[in-house]
C-alpha cells in the first residue's frame, strides 16, 4: 500500500529557516520550494533556499518544485 505524505511550500524568502523548522515541528514530512518569475513578490534561488532549510532541520525531506536552467 502506498503511503500518503503531507508537506508545505516554503514561499517566504525572509522566513525559510523559521518556516522549515515550524513545518518539521508540526510533523510535515516534506517541504518544497522552487524558482519562478513572480510579479507580485520576491523569490530566491531554490537550491540556496533548500540548503538553508537543510541546515536548520534534521528529519524533514526537501525537494525542488521548479528549477530554472539558464
Amino acid at each position: 500500500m502506498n503511503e500518503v505524505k503531507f508537506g508545505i511550500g516554503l514561499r517566504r524568502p525572509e522566513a525559510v529557516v523559521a518556516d522549515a523548522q515550524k513545518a518539521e515541528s508540526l510533523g510535515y514530512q516534506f517541504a518544497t520550494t522552487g524558482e519562478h518569475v513572480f510579479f507580485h513578490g520576491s523569490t530566491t534561488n531554490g537550491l540556496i533556499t533548500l540548503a538553508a532549510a537543510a541546515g536548520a532541520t534534521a528529519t524533514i525531506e526537501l525537494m525542488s518544485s521548479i528549477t530554472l536552467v539558464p
Side-chain angles (χ1 to χ4, degrees):
M1 182 176 277
N2 294 332
E3 177 185 355
V4 176
K5 293 185 177 185
F6 293 92
I8 66 161
L10 301 172
R11 298 181 179 256
R12 301 183 308 156
E14 71 281 359
V16 169
V17 168
D19 290 348
Q21 290 172 333
K22 182 71 171 181
E24 185 175 55
S25 72
L26 291 173
Y28 285 96
Q29 286 97 6
F30 70 89
T32 183
T33 191
E35 304 169 26
H36 206 281
V37 178
F38 290 115
F39 298 104
H40 303 290
S42 57
T43 187
T44 63
N45 178 287
L47 299 178
I48 292 172
T49 301
L50 292 173
T57 59
T59 60
I60 197 166
E61 296 177 10
L62 302 169
M63 67 179 194
S64 176
S65 56
I66 298 173
T67 300
L68 300 178
V69 180

